[in-house]
Amino acid sequence: MEKSDVMITAAVVFAPAVIAFVWVMWENSILPALIPKPEIILQANELIEEYGERAEEVAANREYEAWYRSELTDQGKWKRVRREITRRQRRN
């Protein structure tokens, strides 16, 4: 086997894994980070207003539900909301 054949074979074998990794990183890390901070704060305010001390638990449940439905961007959004609520609760 020539060196070029090995390179092509390796590219064909590893391409799906690389594409899947990039897609998961895009959906779970990059897109949620692009959600504006005011939108995250608004969601946190609404949960705190409606659920009070249980707001963090509700946000965690919504994060889990998004994970269960394989909605990675939504999961990342609720993770940011949950972290905002946790930050506020620790501050108070």
Side-chain angles (χ1 to χ4, degrees), residues 13-82:
V13 168
F14 292 115
V18 170
I19 291 169
F21 175 77
V22 169
W23 176 73
V24 168
M25 291 300 295
W26 175 259
E27 286 278 323
N28 201 22
S29 296
I30 298 170
L31 285 180
L34 295 177
I35 298 171
K37 180 78 172 179
E39 186 176 327
I40 299 299
I41 291 171
L42 178 65
Q43 287 285 330
N45 288 341
E46 289 175 359
L47 288 181
I48 290 170
E49 184 178 314
E50 186 172 347
Y51 296 101
E53 293 294 319
R54 293 191 52 237
E56 183 181 8
E57 179 185 341
V58 171
N61 285 338
R62 291 184 182 176
E63 180 183 351
Y64 173 77
E65 289 168 2
W67 170 82
Y68 187 77
R69 293 185 313 268
S70 298
E71 295 175 354
L72 299 178
T73 304
D74 206 33
Q75 178 187 1
K77 177 185 86 170
W78 286 111
K79 183 177 187 177
R80 285 184 64 198
V81 171
R82 180 178 50 82

